[in-house]
């Protein structure tokens, strides 16, 4: 933990012990460097936004945290478990929603959630109540016995979210979790994440392209660009770093990722 | 109808066929252009004609000798065209993943149903036209040689109509099966059974189409039952050519016009079905509350953990709900049917030894296929397993059970059937079941070792669960392993006295040695698989 640069280290890390420590990881695909020397941490009860343009390395970083990819350099610890050495223990603590959830579409929603409950060892008595709560809260009740192949994109996203939350994970890794959700469901999820963080001390690593959402719910933000951390801190700190006091996160983001002046692009597109 | 739009849409649909084979397909390669089928047709047509002409000149055969060949073969071109497209197209529909079999985009693009159906039919007809083009080219050479140019022109034209007729029929199957495929519950299960039956029928039809004895009988039958078949529209093209060859031009033109009219009717019906069943994702809603519970008592009793049992149950659901798994599941039935078609009963000279070896091979080969496809059929949803706290050996055990259980079930069913139908005796039938089970276990392990290393997780129209070269290697070596186990075991089974015991011990020793080796190889493969997500 101590080797993390202060800007990317959670302020509460020292006191509470972090849930997630990503330290100097790098990952390449052939000649393409997807992630280069990325470090950050997530403290209990903290929602950390991971932002960046397309291809910045967000999904690669998240997959590495899950142990789905192995960084060539660096280490990742989830509640003290080294993901490379003790991946199973780390995965037990994580709830994950991938960018494009691939579900088993030949199962019904209920069967899928039963399946995931078995994978995480959730006993029958516990799962019943939790699944019903989530289905009702996200307005999926009544659809659970239909095949997932017949679900809309938003319904699939809801199933993916429920399956990530069922086993009471202490760390949530959510890659674009609000994709396809209707406004009510999106609001429920945002409030739920905030509640889980403040009441249960769940840590959340949250990736999104919707900067208003990031600004509204994230405690801190890490901005990646071309595989590197270009800025990290609270929205206020990022404003200060970009020299844009009083601006919205969108302006700050564009300035920090070097994509600020879009006038020429818009003019060209209008032709 | 906008024919330009039809052409553009057909072009796109053919491109999706051409480029679906490989994820590394270079879209700029000439081989990956939609025109490849068209150029291929022309090449085969003129190539067949040229080669046929050269061969005829070289052989200097008298035209009188070849005349009957032309008169016998050319009339069947239109019928063969219908059959080729129908069998190829329906086989594709039955085996394609639902995602690719669907054609939702055409529903929201500004395309009229008849335009879509015509474009899709043209694409299907073009895809399966290559063998017809080759045959037409070769027959054209012979026909011109014997002075029957007009006959082959008519036959060729009506073969084109036949290709379209077959394609329109495929479109009908596509529309109706998409609708049926989107249902669950009882209707869904009925649909699956019907699909399985359709697949068995299609495979048997393929066997028959390429069976010379059957074809010869059909040629004779058509002459005898001509009065009946004249009322069957798919035969009208053939009757037009037959009438022309008999010098009856007006009847020939009548049948030809009727054949074209029939194609028009098929287009109309296919379009109506498309309009009626446009939706591919009609969800069925039921409002009874689902009872959530950890179940799988049988699998748990076998010693599987809840997670392993859940994976096995999930795979079983996949077997019976995924359309692309059907060809694998009907395999034991098809292999048994082939035994009957080819008459491999002990009394036919195939012998009890042959029957036992062949049927043992059929059921254990089933285990090999299920195992080799078991990892790749997860597709990208394998992310769920990678992200869950499941160690590699757990996935290995679950996949082994998911492959071996159906193979052993097939062994028992086939063993009982062979015992009853071929009267081989109880001892031989029981021995057949035991050796099939051992061979099935051996090759399931072997298949899993390949699956863990070489699976293909890409979404494709025709699912390819294992990369092609490893699939061939796994199949070839797997068949060899089956024979290594089954042949000495069968020899022992059919022997008496000490030879039987020695043979049984030898077969068991060979089988268990391979099990020990394959177990380690497969398990290491799964540990390697879990190192990093493969996509």
């Amino acid at each position: 933990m101590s080797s993390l640069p202060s800007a990317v280290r959670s302020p509460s890390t020292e006191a509470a012990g972090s849930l997630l420590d990503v330290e100097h990881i790098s990952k390449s695909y052939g000649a393409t460097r997807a992630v280069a020397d990325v470090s950050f941490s997530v403290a209990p009860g903290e929602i950390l936004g991971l932002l960046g343009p397309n291809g910045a390395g967000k999904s690669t970083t998240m997959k590495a945290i899950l142990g789905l990819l192995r960084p060539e350099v660096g280490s990742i610890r989830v509640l003290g478990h080294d993901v490379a050495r003790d991946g199973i223990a780390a995965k037990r603590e994580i709830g994950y929603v991938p960018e494009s959830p691939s579900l088993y579409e030949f199962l019904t929603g209920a069967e899928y959630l039963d399946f995931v409950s078995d994978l995480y060892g959730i006993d029958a008595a516990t799962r019943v109540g939790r699944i019903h709560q989530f289905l009702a809260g996200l307005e999926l009740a009544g659809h659970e016995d239909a095949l997932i192949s017949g679900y809309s994109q938003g319904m699939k996203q809801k199933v993916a979210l429920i399956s990530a939350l069922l086993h009471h994970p202490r760390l949530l890794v959510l890659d674009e979790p609000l994709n396809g959700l209707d406004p009510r469901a999106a609001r429920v999820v945002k409030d739920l994440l905030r509640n889980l963080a403040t009441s249960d001390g769940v840590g959340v690593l949250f990736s999104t392209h919707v900067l208003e959402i990031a600004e509204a719910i994230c405690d801190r933000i890490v901005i990646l660009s071309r595989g590197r951390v270009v800025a990290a801190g609270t929205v206020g700190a990022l404003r200060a770093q970009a020299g844009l006091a009083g601006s919205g996160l969108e302006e700050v983001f564009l300035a920090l990722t070097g994509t600020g002046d879009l006038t020429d692009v818009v003019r060209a597109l209008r032709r | 109808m906008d024919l330009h739009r039809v052409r553009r849409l057909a072009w796109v649909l053919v491109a999706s066929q051409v480029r679906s084979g490989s994820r590394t397909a270079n879209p700029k390669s000439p081989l990956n252009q939609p025109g490849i089928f068209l150029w291929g047709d022309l090449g085969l047509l003129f190539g067949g004609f040229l080669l046929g002409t050269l061969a005829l000149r070289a052989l200097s055969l008298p035209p009188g000798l070849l005349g009957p060949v032309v008169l016998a073969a050319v009339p069947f071109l239109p019928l063969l065209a219908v059959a080729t497209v129908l069998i190829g197209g329906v086989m594709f529909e039955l085996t394609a993943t639902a995602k690719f079999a669907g054609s939702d985009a055409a529903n929201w693009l500004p395309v009229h149903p008849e335009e879509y159906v015509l474009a899709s039919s043209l694409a299907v007809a073009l895809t399966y036209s290559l063998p017809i083009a080759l045959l037409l080219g070769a027959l054209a050479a012979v026909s011109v040689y014997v002075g029957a140019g007009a006959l082959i022109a008519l036959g060729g034209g009506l073969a084109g109509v036949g290709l379209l007729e077959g394609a329109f029929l495929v479109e009908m199957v596509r529309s109706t099966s998409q609708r049926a495929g989107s249902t669950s519950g009882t209707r869904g299960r009925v649909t699956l059974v019907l699909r399985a039956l359709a697949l068995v029928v299609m495979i048997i039809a393929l066997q028959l189409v390429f069976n010379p004895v059957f074809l010869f009988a059909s040629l004779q039958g058509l002459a005898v039952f001509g009065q009946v078949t004249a009322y069957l529209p798919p035969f009208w093209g053939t009757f037009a050519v037959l009438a022309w060859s008999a010098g009856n031009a007006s009847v020939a033109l009548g049948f030809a016009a009727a054949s074209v009219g029939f194609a028009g009717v098929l287009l109309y019906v296919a379009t109506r079905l498309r309009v009626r069943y446009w939706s591919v994702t009609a969800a069925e809603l039921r409002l009874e509350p689902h009872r959530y519970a950890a179940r799988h008592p049988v699998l748990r009793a076998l010693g599987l953990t809840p997670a392993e049992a859940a994976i096995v149950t999930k795979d079983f659901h996949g077997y019976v709900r995924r359309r692309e798994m059907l060809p694998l599941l009907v395999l034991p039935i098809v292999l048994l049917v082939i035994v009957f078609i080819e008459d491999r009963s002990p009394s036919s000279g195939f012998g009890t030894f042959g029957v036992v070896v062949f049927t043992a091979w059929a059921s254990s080969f089933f285990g090999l296929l299920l195992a080799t496809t078991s990892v790749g059929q997860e597709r990208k949803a394998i992310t769920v397993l990678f992200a869950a706290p499941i160690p590699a050996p757990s996935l290995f055990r679950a996949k082994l059970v998911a492959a071996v259980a159906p193979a052993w079930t097939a062994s028992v069913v086939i063993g009982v059937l062979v015992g009853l139908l071929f009267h081989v005796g109880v001892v031989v039938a029981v021995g057949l079941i035991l050796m099939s089970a051992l061979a099935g276990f051996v090759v399931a392990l072997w298949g899993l070792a390949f699956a863990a290393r070489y699976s293909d997780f890409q979404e494709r129209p025709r699912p390819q669960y294992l990369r092609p070269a490893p699939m061939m290697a796994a199949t070839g070596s797997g068949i060899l392993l089956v024979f290594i186990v089954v042949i000495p075991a069968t020899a022992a089974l059919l022997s008496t006295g000490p030879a039987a015991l020695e043979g049984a011990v030898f077969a068991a020793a060979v089988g268990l040695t391979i099990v020990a080796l394959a177990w380690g190889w497969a398990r290491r493969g799964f540990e390697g698989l879990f190192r990093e997500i493969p996509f």
Side-chain angles (χ1 to χ4, degrees):
Chain A
M1 276 181 287
S2 56
S3 64
L4 288 180
S6 60
V8 292
R9 196 186 309 143
S10 166
S12 51
T13 294
E14 303 294 348
S18 55
L19 296 175
L20 171 66
D21 289 305
V22 177
E23 296 192 16
H24 306 291
I25 64 163
S26 295
K27 174 72 182 173
S28 300
Y29 300 110
T32 307
R33 175 62 65 93
V35 170
D37 196 29
V38 166
S39 300
F40 57 83
S41 66
V42 177
E46 182 181 37
I47 301 181
L48 178 71
L50 192 61
L51 309 185
N54 293 332
K58 303 185 296 295
S59 294
T60 298
T61 303
M62 290 187 153
K63 284 179 182 171
I65 291 166
L66 262 292
L68 306 183
L69 296 172
R70 297 212 170 189
E72 292 102 18
V73 183
S75 69
I76 299 169
R77 300 181 79 81
V78 175
L79 282 102
H81 303 291
D82 187 324
V83 171
R85 280 192 225 131
D86 195 5
I88 300 294
K91 287 174 186 179
R92 278 200 195 97
E93 307 291 353
I94 302 176
Y96 175 54
V97 175
E99 187 179 11
S100 310
S102 294
L103 310 176
Y104 293 103
E105 302 214 341
F106 54 84
L107 298 180
T108 65
E111 287 169 345
Y112 181 81
L113 295 173
D114 251 347
F115 169 65
V116 172
S117 301
D118 279 330
L119 295 183
Y120 285 90
I122 304 169
D123 63 73
T126 310
R127 78 178 65 171
V128 174
R130 288 188 66 75
I131 291 174
H132 276 306
Q133 276 175 353
F134 278 118
L135 289 174
L138 292 174
E139 295 186 317
L140 269 183
H143 298 262
E144 65 266 40
D145 285 327
L147 291 176
I148 292 175
S149 58
Y151 283 9
S152 68
Q153 184 62 37
M155 290 162 82
K156 289 177 186 171
Q157 189 74 12
K158 289 175 185 177
V159 172
L161 272 163
I162 295 171
S163 62
L165 293 164
L166 273 180
H167 62 290
H168 286 298
R170 294 179 64 190
L171 175 68
L172 285 167
V173 177
L174 310 175
D175 200 351
E176 299 280 359
L178 305 182
N179 268 355
L181 294 189
D182 55 69
R184 181 192 175 278
R187 178 61 184 266
V188 168
V189 172
K190 283 187 282 186
D191 289 354
L192 178 65
L193 293 179
R194 175 47 62 200
N195 192 265
L196 285 170
T198 51
S199 303
D200 299 350
V202 172
V204 182
L205 180 64
F206 187 100
S207 164
T208 180
H209 287 295
V210 185
L211 300 178
E212 292 84 355
I213 294 173
E215 190 167 6
I217 70 166
C218 294
D219 300 310
R220 282 190 313 126
I221 283 168
V222 170
I223 297 180
L224 294 180
S225 182
R226 296 193 178 94
R228 293 183 178 277
V229 175
V230 292
T234 62
V235 174
L238 295 180
R239 282 196 191 104
Q241 188 178 338
L244 291 168
S247 298
L249 185 57
E250 185 174 81
E251 284 73 29
V252 173
F253 175 85
L254 293 173
L256 290 171
T257 54
T259 49
D261 188 6
L262 303 176
T263 317
D264 291 342
V265 177
V266 174
R267 193 176 295 137
L269 292 173
R270 286 196 61 192
R271 282 190 201 124
Chain B
M1 185 183 292
D2 183 339
L3 289 178
H4 174 70
R5 196 182 291 155
V6 170
R7 190 179 61 80
R8 290 290 301 132
L9 190 54
W11 200 249
V12 170
L13 293 170
V14 174
S16 78
Q17 288 271 13
V18 173
R19 295 172 189 175
S20 64
S22 165
R23 63 181 160 169
T24 54
N26 172 13
K28 291 185 177 170
S29 160
L31 291 175
N32 287 325
Q33 300 308 311
I36 189 74
F37 283 118
L38 207 54
W39 290 113
D41 276 338
L42 289 173
L44 288 171
L45 183 67
F46 288 109
F49 182 79
L50 194 65
L51 283 176
T53 305
L54 290 173
L56 287 169
R57 283 194 183 163
L59 294 170
S60 300
L61 293 172
L65 192 69
L66 293 170
V69 175
V70 169
L71 292 179
V74 175
F76 284 93
L77 265 178
L79 195 56
L80 191 64
V82 178
T84 303
V85 177
L86 193 57
I87 290 172
V90 172
M91 285 290 279
F92 176 83
E93 283 307 313
L94 289 168
T95 56
T97 52
K99 179 178 175 180
F100 284 93
S103 46
D104 245 356
N107 296 315
W108 48 261
L109 289 172
V111 178
H112 294 294
E114 59 268 30
E115 289 172 343
Y116 175 79
V117 170
L118 188 56
S120 180
S121 302
L122 283 171
V124 169
L126 206 56
T127 304
Y128 298 103
S129 59
L130 296 174
I132 301 297
L134 179 64
L135 189 61
L136 182 61
L139 280 176
V142 186
S143 301
V144 170
Y145 187 71
V146 301
L151 186 76
I152 190 65
L154 183 65
L158 288 170
V161 176
L163 287 171
L164 282 176
E165 285 176 5
F168 294 147
L169 287 166
V170 170
E171 280 303 310
M172 290 181 199
V173 172
R174 177 174 287 170
S175 295
T176 47
S177 70
Q178 281 311 304
R179 171 64 173 186
S182 63
T183 63
S184 61
T186 309
R187 270 190 296 159
R189 280 190 286 278
V190 170
T191 305
L192 279 162
V193 171
L194 289 176
R195 274 200 196 130
L197 284 175
L199 193 59
V200 171
V201 169
M202 293 305 292
I203 292 170
I204 293 168
L206 272 171
Q207 284 284 322
L208 294 176
V209 163
F210 294 105
N211 185 325
V213 177
F214 178 80
L215 282 179
F216 184 70
S218 303
L219 285 170
Q220 289 181 318
L222 194 64
V224 175
F225 299 107
Q227 295 300 319
V228 179
T229 48
Y231 293 102
L232 298 176
F235 288 80
W236 288 345
T238 290
F239 276 100
V241 186
L242 282 172
W244 186 272
S245 65
N248 198 337
S250 58
V251 173
L253 291 175
F255 270 119
S259 187
V260 173
F262 176 58
V265 170
L266 289 181
L267 171 61
Y268 176 77
V269 175
T271 304
R272 291 301 99 204
L273 284 172
R274 170 85 196 167
V275 172
R276 174 75 180 82
Y277 296 133
W278 67 271
S279 172
V280 295
T281 52
E284 180 179 281
L285 301 184
R286 274 187 268 151
L287 296 174
E288 307 95 49
H290 182 87
R291 296 178 65 81
Y292 297 90
R295 287 181 296 266
H296 337 297
V298 176
L299 294 168
R300 295 298 312 282
L302 290 172
L304 297 183
T305 66
E308 290 162 3
I311 295 169
V312 175
T313 308
K314 183 265 296 172
D315 280 0
F316 286 168
H317 279 308
Y319 290 153
V320 296
R321 291 181 186 171
R322 296 172 67 173
R323 52 188 293 154
E324 65 269 28
M325 298 304 289
L326 266 182
L328 299 182
L329 291 183
V330 300
L331 186 81
I333 303 168
V334 168
L335 289 173
L336 267 187
V337 170
I338 289 171
V339 174
F340 287 112
I341 288 178
E342 302 291 335
D343 190 20
R344 286 180 181 157
S345 56
S347 59
S348 71
F350 196 60
T352 305
F353 185 88
V355 166
V356 170
V357 168
F358 184 79
T359 47
W361 171 77
S363 53
S364 42
F365 186 65
F366 184 45
L368 176 69
L369 274 186
L370 289 180
T372 49
T373 57
S374 64
V375 177
Q377 54 102 356
E378 293 280 340
R379 298 275 171 252
K380 301 221 162 142
I382 202 170
T383 308
V384 176
L385 301 181
F386 273 78
I390 308 165
S394 272
L395 184 62
F396 167 52
R397 273 194 298 274
K399 289 294 177 186
L400 183 60
V401 172
V404 164
W408 282 1
T409 306
S411 294
V412 172
V413 172
I414 289 177
V416 170
L417 280 176
V418 167
L420 291 174
L421 297 172
F422 294 139
H423 309 294
V424 293
V426 175
V427 174
V428 172
V430 171
L432 168 62
I433 291 170
L434 290 176
M435 80 168 86
S436 301
L438 175 61
F441 191 68
V442 167
V443 289
L445 282 170
W446 192 250
L448 284 176
F450 277 87
R453 288 172 174 82
Y454 308 112
S455 278
D456 183 342
F457 299 93
Q458 296 296 310
E459 298 281 356
R460 299 168 192 281
R462 274 185 208 272
Q464 175 182 294
Y465 305 109
L466 203 61
R467 297 205 291 270
M471 184 54 146
M472 283 192 277
T475 307
S477 54
I479 289 172
L480 196 65
L481 286 180
V482 170
F483 286 136
I484 287 173
V485 174
V486 165
I487 288 177
T490 307
L493 190 63
L494 301 179
S495 307
T496 51
L501 185 64
E502 285 167 13
V505 169
F506 175 75
V510 168
L512 293 175
T513 304
I514 301 171
V515 164
L517 294 172
W519 184 284
W521 193 41
R523 193 181 158 121
R524 284 194 299 280
F526 274 83
E527 279 157 7
L529 173 72
F530 262 52
R531 230 186 97 73
E532 197 164 75
I533 198 160
F535 46 81

